[in-house]
Amino acid sequence: MVDDKYLQDFFDISFESLFMIENGICINQNKAAEKMFGYSLEEAVGASVLDCVHPVFHEIVKKSIMKEVGNTYQALAIRKDGTTFLCEIQGKDVEYEGRTVRLTAIRDISKHIKMKEELIEAGKNFKRVFYNSFEAIAHIDKGRFIDCNDALVDMLRADSRDDIIDLGPGDLSPKYQPCGELSSEKAIRMTKLAFNKGFHRFEWVNKRFDTSTFFVEISLTAIKLNSKDILHCVLRDISKEKELVETIRESAKEARAANRSKSEFLANMSHEIRTPMNGIITATSLALMSEPKPKINEYLSAINSSASFLLNIINDILDLSKIESNKLIIEYIPFSLKTLISEIKEFIKLRVREKKLIFNLKLDQDVPDFIYGDPTRIKQILLNFLSNAVKFTENGSITLSVKLNKESSKDKFINFSVLDSGIGIPKDKIEKIFERFSQKDSSVTRTYGGTGLGLTISKKLISLMNAKLYVNSELGKGSEFAFSIKAKEANKEVRDLILEESKQVVGKARSLEKEFTVLIVEDNSINMRMIKDILERKGCLVLEAENGRLAISKYLNEKIDLILMDLQMPVMNGIEATKKIRKLENENSSSFNSRKIPIVALTANVMLEDRQIAKNVGMNDFLSKPINIAEVYRVIEKYSNEDNVIPEDLYLDDDFNYKDEDEDLDVFDCEELLEILDNNKELFEALINEFFQKLPQELKEIESLIKLKNRDALKLLSHKMKGQTLNLRFNKLASIFKKLEEGALEFKFNKLSNLFEFLKTEVENVRDTLKTGDIIV
């Protein structure tokens, strides 16, 4: 046994399998050797070293002992259990107790050999994948292609790989990329990004060997090959995708243009039809007010009813168009529900009496009177349900119920229901009746008439009010149409205001207490005569102008309290005339009119865009043709009251006509921003999220600066936000911030409040656009 302490410690702590061999005989082994071969120390000492080596390698072991071969060699070792493994043997002579012995270390290298074989095989597989891939792949070293596959040869329309080897990316590209950067310079920048990040993906324009160009998406991955740091480059042809995107973009532009044309057509059609309707309905209404003879009264009523029916069809078509283009706005204003129900009852009562039906009104006493909502649309829905009930009921009754839903303790809901005892609807036809221009079958249209639009519009209106429509019907027994709306009660102050307004005598020609001059600007002589008659009944002094140019002359030379301005006129239309009058007011050009004159749009155009344009140029109110006498009197009452001050912020000149001017701007140019950021999507999302995190506070600051009329601070903040939004390619937002900056420079604070509302709306449009593209902000 070895009694040298140092040697024993060395043996014990070594991870290598160590043996002491003298003349080919083992005189000692350590624990690692015992574990490797399975022999105990007692079994190993005295045994020949050849017992642990495969006979094939005996000769080389003997030569090692005789020092005829080098100190390190490989052999196949045999364990005690007979299993073999490839090992590396290293021997060195050392002095031990006065004699020379062989210190031998044995390492199991079978795993290393296997790994080496696997690496070699992996390398072969990598080459097979590289060369046989359908994707175009190349390897780049020091800005040059050192290898590529056949797919890239085909993509670039080269003859062989040799044509591509040693070329640089700039050699296979046009001089400039779409962003304006030199291809050679951008290639260097993309290469650096890939090495720094480990991976980089971006879009690129490549040039084929036939000089044609095409879009590719390039993925660069930094790898080590043959101990060298290179780039693994994968190219994907995205030309068709780009063409598809461009096609979609052009289609979207064409669709927008088509929608604009449709809106213009509807507006013009509305104007052309509603103008003569205005004449018919207003003339018959005035004639009926003069207490004609019974027979004449009957004829006039028939004319008035027919004209009103035709007007309802026009309104249905316009409503459907506005709903489908998302331009119909549901109002949320306070109103008297009981007054509304009373009006509906009076309207439908005559038709019910004509068919000798029974009409029941069940109005729950617990239903609040003054609530918030859209009274016009609620009335439209209920009248549609009631009109259908009258139309399809020959005998029996019709019941209108208005009840408070008492099941919900948290929120109040009002249930509206119209029940009839008419022909009913088969279960399988209920869904069909809500389709456009549809009734349950063609015989219904022949028998009862109608356009088939009423229920379609009613269902959509109910949906826009966040309510739900319920239908119960049984063939031959009748139908029930019902819906519920959330009821928010108006406070006492609002209730008192509504009651005060209701005390005014609406529809009767109550004379004014003081002189009140109204300028009517209208090119249609019939309309002019009838509006003049209505106003004179009210006690107004009336001035006339048949176009905008004459209206301006009247403004400069006559004392005027109110202008009723038609929008579509020859020589100069109402929009241009209003702009010029507002400009003259700012310049104090009229010695007769020192204050802002209320201007009310008077037109057969009822599209939402018309209302917005009228407001933007400085109009204060809107009267739709056919003229409603009660509405005319409402306007007179409103603006003849000296306490009624016109707020400054209602005036928006053409410099701030954001919606019209910037309609064709993209909300967000995602592709351009990604191109600028070299397709770095992490940075892309980080910048957008940072912008929207800070935006609420900046909007609050802008709103505060407008109220405080702080010119310098608003100019600086608007300028900063304009730069940010331009950089992020939020084009419409940038346009609004530009106008805010200009408004601050020119002290136009009375116009900036409305512009700020546009700004808030556009922020939500941007958010919706980003969410559509799966970008969460």
PDB file of all heavy atoms in Angstrom, residues 270 273-278 281 304-319 604 606 624-627:
ATOM      1  N   SER A 270     -82.665  64.831 -51.420  1.00  0.00           N
ATOM      2  CA  SER A 270     -83.478  65.332 -50.315  1.00  0.00           C
ATOM      3  C   SER A 270     -83.900  66.776 -50.579  1.00  0.00           C
ATOM      4  O   SER A 270     -85.057  67.147 -50.403  1.00  0.00           O
ATOM      5  CB  SER A 270     -82.683  65.247 -49.005  1.00  0.00           C
ATOM      6  OG  SER A 270     -83.320  65.988 -47.990  1.00  0.00           O
ATOM      7  N   ILE A 273     -86.504  67.046 -53.476  1.00  0.00           N
ATOM      8  CA  ILE A 273     -87.840  66.528 -53.158  1.00  0.00           C
ATOM      9  C   ILE A 273     -88.479  67.306 -52.014  1.00  0.00           C
ATOM     10  O   ILE A 273     -89.653  67.656 -52.056  1.00  0.00           O
ATOM     11  CB  ILE A 273     -87.775  65.027 -52.797  1.00  0.00           C
ATOM     12  CG1 ILE A 273     -87.268  64.227 -54.009  1.00  0.00           C
ATOM     13  CG2 ILE A 273     -89.150  64.510 -52.386  1.00  0.00           C
ATOM     14  CD1 ILE A 273     -87.070  62.759 -53.732  1.00  0.00           C
ATOM     15  N   ARG A 274     -87.656  67.604 -50.994  1.00  0.00           N
ATOM     16  CA  ARG A 274     -88.219  68.253 -49.812  1.00  0.00           C
ATOM     17  C   ARG A 274     -88.600  69.716 -50.070  1.00  0.00           C
ATOM     18  O   ARG A 274     -89.490  70.252 -49.405  1.00  0.00           O
ATOM     19  CB  ARG A 274     -87.232  68.163 -48.648  1.00  0.00           C
ATOM     20  CG  ARG A 274     -87.050  66.765 -48.113  1.00  0.00           C
ATOM     21  CD  ARG A 274     -85.891  66.697 -47.139  1.00  0.00           C
ATOM     22  NE  ARG A 274     -86.192  67.360 -45.889  1.00  0.00           N
ATOM     23  CZ  ARG A 274     -86.681  66.740 -44.808  1.00  0.00           C
ATOM     24  NH1 ARG A 274     -86.924  65.439 -44.854  1.00  0.00           N
ATOM     25  NH2 ARG A 274     -86.935  67.401 -43.699  1.00  0.00           N
ATOM     26  N   THR A 275     -87.945  70.376 -51.038  1.00  0.00           N
ATOM     27  CA  THR A 275     -88.287  71.776 -51.322  1.00  0.00           C
ATOM     28  C   THR A 275     -89.734  71.911 -51.803  1.00  0.00           C
ATOM     29  O   THR A 275     -90.507  72.698 -51.250  1.00  0.00           O
ATOM     30  CB  THR A 275     -87.294  72.375 -52.332  1.00  0.00           C
ATOM     31  OG1 THR A 275     -85.992  72.387 -51.741  1.00  0.00           O
ATOM     32  CG2 THR A 275     -87.685  73.810 -52.684  1.00  0.00           C
ATOM     33  N   PRO A 276     -90.166  71.135 -52.831  1.00  0.00           N
ATOM     34  CA  PRO A 276     -91.595  71.229 -53.195  1.00  0.00           C
ATOM     35  C   PRO A 276     -92.512  70.690 -52.091  1.00  0.00           C
ATOM     36  O   PRO A 276     -93.619  71.184 -51.902  1.00  0.00           O
ATOM     37  CB  PRO A 276     -91.703  70.382 -54.476  1.00  0.00           C
ATOM     38  CG  PRO A 276     -90.486  69.524 -54.491  1.00  0.00           C
ATOM     39  CD  PRO A 276     -89.425  70.295 -53.798  1.00  0.00           C
ATOM     40  N   MET A 277     -92.029  69.659 -51.347  1.00  0.00           N
ATOM     41  CA  MET A 277     -92.820  69.158 -50.224  1.00  0.00           C
ATOM     42  C   MET A 277     -93.054  70.259 -49.197  1.00  0.00           C
ATOM     43  O   MET A 277     -94.127  70.365 -48.603  1.00  0.00           O
ATOM     44  CB  MET A 277     -92.092  67.991 -49.538  1.00  0.00           C
ATOM     45  CG  MET A 277     -92.155  66.668 -50.263  1.00  0.00           C
ATOM     46  SD  MET A 277     -93.831  66.033 -50.415  1.00  0.00           S
ATOM     47  CE  MET A 277     -94.200  66.546 -52.079  1.00  0.00           C
ATOM     48  N   ASN A 278     -92.011  71.080 -49.002  1.00  0.00           N
ATOM     49  CA  ASN A 278     -92.133  72.203 -48.070  1.00  0.00           C
ATOM     50  C   ASN A 278     -93.261  73.126 -48.509  1.00  0.00           C
ATOM     51  O   ASN A 278     -94.091  73.556 -47.702  1.00  0.00           O
ATOM     52  CB  ASN A 278     -90.813  72.969 -48.020  1.00  0.00           C
ATOM     53  CG  ASN A 278     -90.925  74.237 -47.190  1.00  0.00           C
ATOM     54  OD1 ASN A 278     -91.287  74.188 -46.020  1.00  0.00           O
ATOM     55  ND2 ASN A 278     -90.621  75.369 -47.802  1.00  0.00           N
ATOM     56  N   ILE A 281     -96.761  71.159 -47.968  1.00  0.00           N
ATOM     57  CA  ILE A 281     -97.179  70.961 -46.575  1.00  0.00           C
ATOM     58  C   ILE A 281     -97.428  72.290 -45.871  1.00  0.00           C
ATOM     59  O   ILE A 281     -98.424  72.456 -45.158  1.00  0.00           O
ATOM     60  CB  ILE A 281     -96.126  70.126 -45.821  1.00  0.00           C
ATOM     61  CG1 ILE A 281     -96.096  68.700 -46.391  1.00  0.00           C
ATOM     62  CG2 ILE A 281     -96.415  70.084 -44.328  1.00  0.00           C
ATOM     63  CD1 ILE A 281     -94.972  67.836 -45.840  1.00  0.00           C
ATOM     64  N   ASN A 304    -102.229  67.263 -47.554  1.00  0.00           N
ATOM     65  CA  ASN A 304    -101.245  67.369 -46.479  1.00  0.00           C
ATOM     66  C   ASN A 304    -100.802  65.988 -46.001  1.00  0.00           C
ATOM     67  O   ASN A 304     -99.616  65.730 -45.782  1.00  0.00           O
ATOM     68  CB  ASN A 304    -101.847  68.162 -45.320  1.00  0.00           C
ATOM     69  CG  ASN A 304    -100.801  68.595 -44.325  1.00  0.00           C
ATOM     70  OD1 ASN A 304    -100.306  67.790 -43.553  1.00  0.00           O
ATOM     71  ND2 ASN A 304    -100.472  69.886 -44.339  1.00  0.00           N
ATOM     72  N   SER A 305    -101.767  65.072 -45.865  1.00  0.00           N
ATOM     73  CA  SER A 305    -101.460  63.710 -45.404  1.00  0.00           C
ATOM     74  C   SER A 305    -100.589  62.979 -46.415  1.00  0.00           C
ATOM     75  O   SER A 305     -99.618  62.298 -46.053  1.00  0.00           O
ATOM     76  CB  SER A 305    -102.766  62.950 -45.164  1.00  0.00           C
ATOM     77  OG  SER A 305    -102.498  61.614 -44.809  1.00  0.00           O
ATOM     78  N   SER A 306    -100.928  63.110 -47.724  1.00  0.00           N
ATOM     79  CA  SER A 306    -100.135  62.431 -48.768  1.00  0.00           C
ATOM     80  C   SER A 306     -98.713  62.963 -48.820  1.00  0.00           C
ATOM     81  O   SER A 306     -97.748  62.202 -48.959  1.00  0.00           O
ATOM     82  CB  SER A 306    -100.819  62.610 -50.131  1.00  0.00           C
ATOM     83  OG  SER A 306    -102.091  62.013 -50.123  1.00  0.00           O
ATOM     84  N   ALA A 307     -98.588  64.286 -48.723  1.00  0.00           N
ATOM     85  CA  ALA A 307     -97.254  64.892 -48.740  1.00  0.00           C
ATOM     86  C   ALA A 307     -96.436  64.448 -47.531  1.00  0.00           C
ATOM     87  O   ALA A 307     -95.239  64.161 -47.644  1.00  0.00           O
ATOM     88  CB  ALA A 307     -97.375  66.418 -48.773  1.00  0.00           C
ATOM     89  N   SER A 308     -97.100  64.374 -46.379  1.00  0.00           N
ATOM     90  CA  SER A 308     -96.406  63.923 -45.162  1.00  0.00           C
ATOM     91  C   SER A 308     -95.971  62.471 -45.287  1.00  0.00           C
ATOM     92  O   SER A 308     -94.883  62.091 -44.837  1.00  0.00           O
ATOM     93  CB  SER A 308     -97.321  64.088 -43.942  1.00  0.00           C
ATOM     94  OG  SER A 308     -97.639  65.447 -43.730  1.00  0.00           O
ATOM     95  N   PHE A 309     -96.818  61.637 -45.932  1.00  0.00           N
ATOM     96  CA  PHE A 309     -96.462  60.231 -46.126  1.00  0.00           C
ATOM     97  C   PHE A 309     -95.228  60.110 -47.019  1.00  0.00           C
ATOM     98  O   PHE A 309     -94.300  59.346 -46.743  1.00  0.00           O
ATOM     99  CB  PHE A 309     -97.646  59.484 -46.745  1.00  0.00           C
ATOM    100  CG  PHE A 309     -97.367  58.022 -46.986  1.00  0.00           C
ATOM    101  CD1 PHE A 309     -97.355  57.116 -45.934  1.00  0.00           C
ATOM    102  CD2 PHE A 309     -97.104  57.566 -48.269  1.00  0.00           C
ATOM    103  CE1 PHE A 309     -97.080  55.773 -46.162  1.00  0.00           C
ATOM    104  CE2 PHE A 309     -96.839  56.227 -48.497  1.00  0.00           C
ATOM    105  CZ  PHE A 309     -96.831  55.326 -47.438  1.00  0.00           C
ATOM    106  N   LEU A 310     -95.222  60.898 -48.106  1.00  0.00           N
ATOM    107  CA  LEU A 310     -94.056  60.882 -49.000  1.00  0.00           C
ATOM    108  C   LEU A 310     -92.813  61.368 -48.263  1.00  0.00           C
ATOM    109  O   LEU A 310     -91.717  60.818 -48.435  1.00  0.00           O
ATOM    110  CB  LEU A 310     -94.327  61.773 -50.217  1.00  0.00           C
ATOM    111  CG  LEU A 310     -93.193  61.884 -51.254  1.00  0.00           C
ATOM    112  CD1 LEU A 310     -92.798  60.510 -51.771  1.00  0.00           C
ATOM    113  CD2 LEU A 310     -93.615  62.790 -52.401  1.00  0.00           C
ATOM    114  N   LEU A 311     -92.973  62.368 -47.413  1.00  0.00           N
ATOM    115  CA  LEU A 311     -91.847  62.879 -46.632  1.00  0.00           C
ATOM    116  C   LEU A 311     -91.310  61.824 -45.673  1.00  0.00           C
ATOM    117  O   LEU A 311     -90.095  61.705 -45.464  1.00  0.00           O
ATOM    118  CB  LEU A 311     -92.286  64.124 -45.851  1.00  0.00           C
ATOM    119  CG  LEU A 311     -91.191  64.876 -45.113  1.00  0.00           C
ATOM    120  CD1 LEU A 311     -90.166  65.417 -46.093  1.00  0.00           C
ATOM    121  CD2 LEU A 311     -91.797  66.012 -44.299  1.00  0.00           C
ATOM    122  N   ASN A 312     -92.207  61.037 -45.098  1.00  0.00           N
ATOM    123  CA  ASN A 312     -91.778  59.956 -44.194  1.00  0.00           C
ATOM    124  C   ASN A 312     -90.925  58.935 -44.928  1.00  0.00           C
ATOM    125  O   ASN A 312     -89.952  58.403 -44.374  1.00  0.00           O
ATOM    126  CB  ASN A 312     -92.999  59.265 -43.566  1.00  0.00           C
ATOM    127  CG  ASN A 312     -93.651  60.112 -42.494  1.00  0.00           C
ATOM    128  OD1 ASN A 312     -92.996  60.960 -41.898  1.00  0.00           O
ATOM    129  ND2 ASN A 312     -94.940  59.914 -42.279  1.00  0.00           N
ATOM    130  N   ILE A 313     -91.283  58.625 -46.179  1.00  0.00           N
ATOM    131  CA  ILE A 313     -90.478  57.678 -46.974  1.00  0.00           C
ATOM    132  C   ILE A 313     -89.079  58.253 -47.203  1.00  0.00           C
ATOM    133  O   ILE A 313     -88.065  57.559 -47.064  1.00  0.00           O
ATOM    134  CB  ILE A 313     -91.170  57.381 -48.318  1.00  0.00           C
ATOM    135  CG1 ILE A 313     -92.497  56.633 -48.083  1.00  0.00           C
ATOM    136  CG2 ILE A 313     -90.250  56.559 -49.225  1.00  0.00           C
ATOM    137  CD1 ILE A 313     -93.310  56.415 -49.343  1.00  0.00           C
ATOM    138  N   ILE A 314     -89.024  59.549 -47.534  1.00  0.00           N
ATOM    139  CA  ILE A 314     -87.720  60.204 -47.731  1.00  0.00           C
ATOM    140  C   ILE A 314     -86.903  60.133 -46.447  1.00  0.00           C
ATOM    141  O   ILE A 314     -85.712  59.816 -46.463  1.00  0.00           O
ATOM    142  CB  ILE A 314     -87.914  61.674 -48.161  1.00  0.00           C
ATOM    143  CG1 ILE A 314     -88.634  61.735 -49.510  1.00  0.00           C
ATOM    144  CG2 ILE A 314     -86.575  62.396 -48.238  1.00  0.00           C
ATOM    145  CD1 ILE A 314     -89.127  63.124 -49.883  1.00  0.00           C
ATOM    146  N   ASN A 315     -87.543  60.424 -45.338  1.00  0.00           N
ATOM    147  CA  ASN A 315     -86.849  60.389 -44.045  1.00  0.00           C
ATOM    148  C   ASN A 315     -86.331  58.994 -43.722  1.00  0.00           C
ATOM    149  O   ASN A 315     -85.234  58.836 -43.184  1.00  0.00           O
ATOM    150  CB  ASN A 315     -87.771  60.873 -42.927  1.00  0.00           C
ATOM    151  CG  ASN A 315     -88.009  62.371 -42.987  1.00  0.00           C
ATOM    152  OD1 ASN A 315     -87.212  63.100 -43.562  1.00  0.00           O
ATOM    153  ND2 ASN A 315     -89.117  62.820 -42.427  1.00  0.00           N
ATOM    154  N   ASP A 316     -87.146  57.961 -44.058  1.00  0.00           N
ATOM    155  CA  ASP A 316     -86.709  56.582 -43.811  1.00  0.00           C
ATOM    156  C   ASP A 316     -85.444  56.264 -44.595  1.00  0.00           C
ATOM    157  O   ASP A 316     -84.492  55.661 -44.076  1.00  0.00           O
ATOM    158  CB  ASP A 316     -87.815  55.591 -44.205  1.00  0.00           C
ATOM    159  CG  ASP A 316     -88.903  55.485 -43.149  1.00  0.00           C
ATOM    160  OD1 ASP A 316     -88.675  55.980 -42.027  1.00  0.00           O
ATOM    161  OD2 ASP A 316     -89.957  54.906 -43.451  1.00  0.00           O
ATOM    162  N   ILE A 317     -85.411  56.660 -45.866  1.00  0.00           N
ATOM    163  CA  ILE A 317     -84.235  56.383 -46.708  1.00  0.00           C
ATOM    164  C   ILE A 317     -83.011  57.105 -46.164  1.00  0.00           C
ATOM    165  O   ILE A 317     -81.911  56.536 -46.070  1.00  0.00           O
ATOM    166  CB  ILE A 317     -84.509  56.818 -48.163  1.00  0.00           C
ATOM    167  CG1 ILE A 317     -85.614  55.935 -48.772  1.00  0.00           C
ATOM    168  CG2 ILE A 317     -83.243  56.725 -49.008  1.00  0.00           C
ATOM    169  CD1 ILE A 317     -86.130  56.420 -50.099  1.00  0.00           C
ATOM    170  N   LEU A 318     -83.184  58.367 -45.753  1.00  0.00           N
ATOM    171  CA  LEU A 318     -82.063  59.141 -45.206  1.00  0.00           C
ATOM    172  C   LEU A 318     -81.594  58.563 -43.880  1.00  0.00           C
ATOM    173  O   LEU A 318     -80.393  58.479 -43.622  1.00  0.00           O
ATOM    174  CB  LEU A 318     -82.467  60.607 -45.035  1.00  0.00           C
ATOM    175  CG  LEU A 318     -82.685  61.387 -46.334  1.00  0.00           C
ATOM    176  CD1 LEU A 318     -83.276  62.751 -46.034  1.00  0.00           C
ATOM    177  CD2 LEU A 318     -81.390  61.531 -47.102  1.00  0.00           C
ATOM    178  N   ASP A 319     -82.533  58.167 -43.038  1.00  0.00           N
ATOM    179  CA  ASP A 319     -82.169  57.561 -41.748  1.00  0.00           C
ATOM    180  C   ASP A 319     -81.368  56.283 -41.950  1.00  0.00           C
ATOM    181  O   ASP A 319     -80.346  56.059 -41.288  1.00  0.00           O
ATOM    182  CB  ASP A 319     -83.420  57.245 -40.921  1.00  0.00           C
ATOM    183  CG  ASP A 319     -83.938  58.461 -40.168  1.00  0.00           C
ATOM    184  OD1 ASP A 319     -83.177  59.443 -40.058  1.00  0.00           O
ATOM    185  OD2 ASP A 319     -85.080  58.415 -39.690  1.00  0.00           O
ATOM    186  N   ALA A 604     -83.432  72.080 -47.142  1.00  0.00           N
ATOM    187  CA  ALA A 604     -84.013  70.744 -47.283  1.00  0.00           C
ATOM    188  C   ALA A 604     -82.973  69.655 -47.074  1.00  0.00           C
ATOM    189  O   ALA A 604     -83.307  68.483 -47.064  1.00  0.00           O
ATOM    190  CB  ALA A 604     -84.639  70.593 -48.673  1.00  0.00           C
ATOM    191  N   VAL A 606     -80.798  67.419 -44.854  1.00  0.00           N
ATOM    192  CA  VAL A 606     -80.886  67.019 -43.443  1.00  0.00           C
ATOM    193  C   VAL A 606     -79.798  66.029 -43.060  1.00  0.00           C
ATOM    194  O   VAL A 606     -79.862  65.394 -42.030  1.00  0.00           O
ATOM    195  CB  VAL A 606     -82.273  66.400 -43.129  1.00  0.00           C
ATOM    196  CG1 VAL A 606     -83.342  67.448 -43.223  1.00  0.00           C
ATOM    197  CG2 VAL A 606     -82.565  65.232 -44.065  1.00  0.00           C
ATOM    198  N   SER A 624     -85.188  72.489 -40.689  1.00  0.00           N
ATOM    199  CA  SER A 624     -85.265  71.578 -41.831  1.00  0.00           C
ATOM    200  C   SER A 624     -86.573  71.786 -42.581  1.00  0.00           C
ATOM    201  O   SER A 624     -87.621  72.032 -41.997  1.00  0.00           O
ATOM    202  CB  SER A 624     -85.181  70.131 -41.333  1.00  0.00           C
ATOM    203  OG  SER A 624     -85.411  69.239 -42.388  1.00  0.00           O
ATOM    204  N   LYS A 625     -86.484  71.733 -43.902  1.00  0.00           N
ATOM    205  CA  LYS A 625     -87.685  71.776 -44.727  1.00  0.00           C
ATOM    206  C   LYS A 625     -88.234  70.360 -44.880  1.00  0.00           C
ATOM    207  O   LYS A 625     -87.444  69.413 -44.953  1.00  0.00           O
ATOM    208  CB  LYS A 625     -87.360  72.356 -46.104  1.00  0.00           C
ATOM    209  CG  LYS A 625     -86.868  73.789 -46.077  1.00  0.00           C
ATOM    210  CD  LYS A 625     -86.509  74.226 -47.483  1.00  0.00           C
ATOM    211  CE  LYS A 625     -85.893  75.613 -47.505  1.00  0.00           C
ATOM    212  NZ  LYS A 625     -85.473  75.999 -48.868  1.00  0.00           N
ATOM    213  N   PRO A 626     -89.544  70.164 -44.987  1.00  0.00           N
ATOM    214  CA  PRO A 626     -90.597  71.170 -44.960  1.00  0.00           C
ATOM    215  C   PRO A 626     -90.643  71.899 -43.616  1.00  0.00           C
ATOM    216  O   PRO A 626     -90.423  71.297 -42.570  1.00  0.00           O
ATOM    217  CB  PRO A 626     -91.873  70.380 -45.184  1.00  0.00           C
ATOM    218  CG  PRO A 626     -91.429  69.092 -45.792  1.00  0.00           C
ATOM    219  CD  PRO A 626     -90.089  68.824 -45.218  1.00  0.00           C
ATOM    220  N   ILE A 627     -90.942  73.169 -43.680  1.00  0.00           N
ATOM    221  CA  ILE A 627     -90.937  73.998 -42.490  1.00  0.00           C
ATOM    222  C   ILE A 627     -92.051  73.566 -41.541  1.00  0.00           C
ATOM    223  O   ILE A 627     -93.210  73.401 -41.935  1.00  0.00           O
ATOM    224  CB  ILE A 627     -91.123  75.492 -42.867  1.00  0.00           C
ATOM    225  CG1 ILE A 627     -89.918  75.970 -43.663  1.00  0.00           C
ATOM    226  CG2 ILE A 627     -91.328  76.344 -41.623  1.00  0.00           C
ATOM    227  CD1 ILE A 627     -88.617  75.901 -42.893  1.00  0.00           C
TER     228      ILE A 627
END
